[in-house]
Amino acid sequence: MQNNLIWFRNDLRLHDNTALHHACNSNEDKVIGLFIATPKQWSEHSMSQKKKSFIYSHLISLQKELLKLNIILYYYESTDFLNSIEYLLYFCEKHKIKNLFYNYQYEINERNRDVLLKKKLSEKGLFIKGFHDNIFFSEKKIKNHKNETYKVFTFFKKKVIKNLNDNIPQCFPVPLKRKPDKDIFSMFTSLKHLSLHFDKNIFPVGEKKAIDRLKNFYMHKIDDYASKRNFPFLESTSMLSPYLSSGIISSRYCLMMLLKIKNNFSSNILLTSSWFNQILWRDFYYHLLIGFPKISKFQALVAWEEEIPWVNNIKHFNAWKEGCTGFPIIDAGMRQLNQLGWMHNRLRMITSSFLVKNLLINWRKGEKYFMSNLIDGDLALNNGGWQWSASVGCDSVPYFRMFNPLNQSIIFDISGNFIKKFIPELKYVPNHYIHEPHKWSKEKNIKLDYPLPIINYNDSRKKFLLTFNQARLKFKKRLNTYE
Ligand code: FAD
């Protein structure tokens, strides 16, 4: 019999948890769980209060579920990654751990921590095993013909689907109940005290709730996803992002269930499923995070970005944050974020484009603000989304394209239902005026308790095109000078 430790990180679940599965492989071994919180580092990385509460609530739930399997989950709060390593050394010695199992994390500090940890624990004679769990295939298996990370999504997608055809990844079942340890209840300390308040109606707590949400989405929404996904008022997306980003459910599990409901495995389903396409965008951004460690340092993937003279307008930035720009669709999106900690994808695209291209405010500021408010904040996806919108990442929107908030509003919230839900000040504005409420107030001579647009769209468009063109030229010139 050996003592195995499963170190839970971004994978707070029992279903399809690779490291947990391997830790429980032999029925004879004793298995202990550990979660190490790093609140100081979470704050340094702008993790939102909502996401912290979401994680803690799921830890409490995970502890309960693990106990049913006779596995105790311990908790430790560390000051930083070095302290985590020291604690692990102490913990492994105290509990006579022989084997440590964990799923990989891909941010640069986490990767450096794991290298050091492996060295230190190996020196003590421990066996350490890490697993790729958060992505479909390891980065080594998804490279282009030059053995490099894919920079174009379509080619990345083809490669992943080819690999899925050749080798469907396994979904691991919930481990079997283990033999009870006679001291289990004396060793157990409940994590209930960690509970923090957040609105559990929108994002209920528990792995089972995440699975139910997935099933419900597959039963009622997935067939219309492609045609409805861009309309925020329709609530036609899965809203699974908080669960995926904290590892309450895995993307493999989503794939397996999709194949199950479609009742067969064919690459055609994977190629044509609009929803699975989004899951693959998630995977793409994780592969970029692994392939380009500078993402973890908030650097842009295109070099000319450093020539953009960002504008430091605090008034504009605050108006954007508070949802008071005078552009209803932007403001409704930002207020959705501020209230729920979640924003519809179309609105994330429009609001981020507005900050970067209309206000010319550095995308890093927007990225940080999103992170500090999102319940699904995820470095790979958030950074990927922001670099996409700012046209400074891989396979981003072309640099000369921007979203016109008025057109977007008319197309994606035609009746203004979404806008009215989040901007009550505009409740009485007739629907056909909702996208430009000040036109109505002027015509009717009614005073609106809603700000005037903070910029003129056409002027800002011209300024943006000039600024980005000049930045690219300046960078080219600089390169030529060095050649
Ligand atoms: P669904 O439409 O049901 O999609 C299913 C899953 O696919 C999502 O849960 C998500 O994991 C993935 N996905 C969907 N759209 C995208 C996308 N555009 N890029 C990558 N993966 C995607 N998503 C996060 O989870 N965390 C973030 O911090 C985050 N920040 C973003 C910032 C910006 C500027 C932009 C443009 C997008 C960001 N996204 C982020 C991606 C996307 O907006 C959300 O994943 C999506 O809105 C979540 O809603 P859903 O679960 O209903 O998605």
Side-chain angles (χ1 to χ4, degrees):
M1 186 184 105
Q2 302 207 327
N3 289 352
N4 295 346
L5 176 63
I6 154 84
W7 178 8
F8 286 96
R9 299 149 150 213
N10 222 15
D11 50 0
L12 305 179
R13 64 176 187 276
L14 302 184
H15 287 83
D16 190 38
N17 185 327
T18 316
L20 176 65
H21 170 81
H22 286 279
C24 296
N25 222 359
S26 158
N27 278 342
E28 296 308 308
D29 293 344
K30 178 175 166 182
V31 178
I32 299 174
L34 174 67
F35 181 85
I36 302 180
T38 50
K40 194 169 151 256
Q41 281 171 319
W42 290 348
S43 298
E44 278 166 18
H45 290 103
S46 312
M47 187 193 280
S48 73
Q49 193 55 34
K50 288 198 173 78
K51 180 159 180 178
K52 278 180 211 161
S53 310
F54 189 75
I55 291 177
Y56 280 127
S57 303
H58 278 91
L59 263 183
I60 297 166
S61 163
L62 179 70
Q63 191 189 44
K64 262 197 225 155
E65 295 305 313
L66 282 169
L67 198 61
K68 292 180 192 162
L69 304 179
N70 290 321
I71 298 174
I72 291 191
L73 178 67
Y74 288 87
Y75 170 85
Y76 176 70
E77 214 163 279
S78 96
T79 46
D80 54 30
F81 283 154
L82 274 181
N83 178 246
S84 305
I85 296 177
E86 281 162 18
Y87 182 73
L88 271 161
L89 284 164
Y90 156 81
F91 188 91
C92 289
E93 200 171 314
K94 181 174 170 200
H95 293 274
K96 301 188 173 55
I97 300 294
K98 281 274 173 258
N99 308 299
L100 168 64
F101 299 83
Y102 55 73
N103 293 315
Y104 292 131
Q105 290 178 300
Y106 301 108
E107 295 82 358
I108 193 70
N109 290 338
E110 281 77 350
R111 278 156 70 182
N112 290 340
R113 173 203 60 198
D114 287 353
V115 171
L116 189 60
L117 173 77
K118 195 161 185 174
K119 183 173 171 283
K120 297 244 175 195
L121 288 187
S122 309
E123 283 166 9
K124 300 263 173 198
L126 263 89
F127 169 80
I128 298 115
K129 189 77 188 107
F131 300 90
H132 287 288
D133 180 73
N134 198 8
I135 49 180
F136 288 112
F137 299 102
S138 79
E139 75 281 12
K140 288 189 187 121
K141 291 193 176 148
I142 308 290
K143 295 271 186 190
N144 66 16
H145 61 282
K146 289 187 192 155
N147 203 27
E148 292 167 345
T149 304
Y150 280 99
K151 288 184 179 169
V152 178
F153 174 71
T154 321
F155 298 131
F156 167 84
K157 176 178 170 176
K158 269 192 191 151
K159 178 76 173 188
V160 175
I161 290 183
K162 184 184 174 303
N163 279 23
L164 285 171
N165 272 320
D166 296 345
N167 179 13
I168 312 173
Q170 284 184 62
C171 245
F172 297 109
V174 174
L176 295 174
K177 193 168 174 173
R178 319 202 60 78
K179 280 184 222 142
D181 191 315
K182 61 178 179 353
D183 304 322
I184 194 159
F185 288 104
S186 62
M187 293 184 319
F188 178 78
T189 314
S190 165
L191 299 180
K192 266 194 180 146
H193 63 283
L194 295 174
S195 179
L196 295 169
H197 174 75
F198 79 103
D199 185 354
K200 298 183 176 91
N201 290 323
I202 300 172
F203 296 110
V205 173
E207 186 177 345
K208 189 178 171 305
K209 299 281 183 197
I211 293 173
D212 288 348
R213 178 165 286 207
L214 177 73
K215 285 183 181 162
N216 188 52
F217 174 74
Y218 282 164
M219 268 168 67
H220 303 293
K221 295 187 177 177
I222 195 166
D223 290 340
D224 293 330
Y225 180 79
S227 59
K228 293 187 176 168
R229 60 180 284 255
N230 275 311
F231 299 88
F233 191 71
L234 296 182
E235 296 179 358
S236 59
T237 67
S238 68
M239 292 186 82
L240 275 166
S241 50
Y243 302 93
L244 280 161
S245 67
S246 291
I248 318 297
I249 196 166
S250 74
S251 46
R252 260 188 325 265
Y253 190 83
C254 295
L255 167 65
M256 288 306 115
M257 294 288 284
L258 177 67
L259 297 175
K260 215 167 156 187
I261 57 147
K262 296 287 175 195
N263 217 5
N264 69 354
F265 182 92
S266 95
S267 55
N268 202 31
I269 291 177
L270 303 184
L271 279 168
T272 54
S273 165
S274 173
W275 193 71
F276 188 64
N277 194 60
Q278 295 311 111
I279 293 285
L280 288 181
W281 269 102
R282 174 182 192 278
D283 223 60
F284 178 57
Y285 285 141
Y286 265 99
H287 278 265
L288 290 180
L289 183 69
I290 300 169
F292 302 99
K294 66 179 183 178
I295 289 179
S296 295
K297 297 175 189 158
F298 306 102
Q299 289 168 15
L301 288 170
V302 299
W304 57 266
E305 187 266 356
E306 60 198 52
E307 297 292 352
I308 301 172
W310 298 112
V311 173
N312 190 17
N313 186 327
I314 293 170
K315 240 171 134 183
H316 280 178
F317 187 43
N318 285 342
W320 177 82
K321 288 197 289 192
E322 288 157 17
C324 291
T325 64
F327 289 84
I329 195 71
I330 304 288
D331 296 340
M334 293 308 292
R335 293 185 197 193
Q336 182 181 41
L337 171 67
N338 294 338
Q339 282 173 37
L340 310 186
W342 185 88
M343 200 200 287
H344 185 277
N345 183 57
R346 171 64 38 185
L347 300 170
R348 295 190 206 208
M349 283 156 56
I350 311 175
T351 53
S352 54
S353 170
F354 185 81
L355 184 82
V356 177
K357 295 185 172 174
N358 295 100
L359 303 183
L360 281 175
I361 291 178
N362 196 323
W363 56 273
R364 292 169 186 85
K365 289 193 177 175
E367 182 190 10
K368 190 171 174 190
Y369 185 74
F370 265 31
M371 204 65 184
S372 56
N373 285 280
L374 282 170
I375 191 168
D376 64 16
D378 181 320
L379 175 69
L381 275 64
N382 194 37
N383 184 285
W386 275 94
Q387 294 218 29
W388 183 90
S389 290
S391 305
V392 298
C394 286
D395 212 356
S396 306
V397 64
Y399 83 94
F400 46 83
R401 270 191 53 198
M402 66 200 297
F403 290 108
N404 177 330
L406 179 60
N407 293 345
Q408 292 286 311
S409 191
I410 293 168
I411 299 170
F412 296 112
D413 191 30
I414 185 150
S415 56
N417 286 336
F418 184 81
I419 291 173
K420 288 189 177 179
K421 182 172 172 188
F422 284 95
I423 313 183
E425 304 95 285
L426 300 181
K427 212 161 57 189
Y428 300 109
V429 176
N431 287 358
H432 58 284
Y433 278 105
I434 192 72
H435 312 287
E436 291 180 289
H438 291 290
K439 250 189 184 171
W440 173 73
S441 74
K442 207 171 162 190
E443 278 174 30
K444 300 283 172 203
N445 202 15
I446 294 174
K447 198 173 168 336
L448 262 184
D449 184 21
Y450 179 68
L452 283 163
I454 56 170
I455 49 153
N456 173 295
Y457 174 77
N458 289 330
D459 293 348
S460 73
R461 186 170 186 277
K462 280 183 209 146
K463 191 170 170 201
F464 147 71
L465 286 172
L466 188 71
T467 309
F468 270 48
N469 272 325
Q470 279 176 347
R472 288 163 64 87
L473 282 176
K474 205 168 162 195
F475 181 73
K476 248 190 196 163
K477 253 191 202 161
R478 216 177 75 195
L479 273 190
N480 291 341
T481 325
Y482 291 137
E483 270 168 11

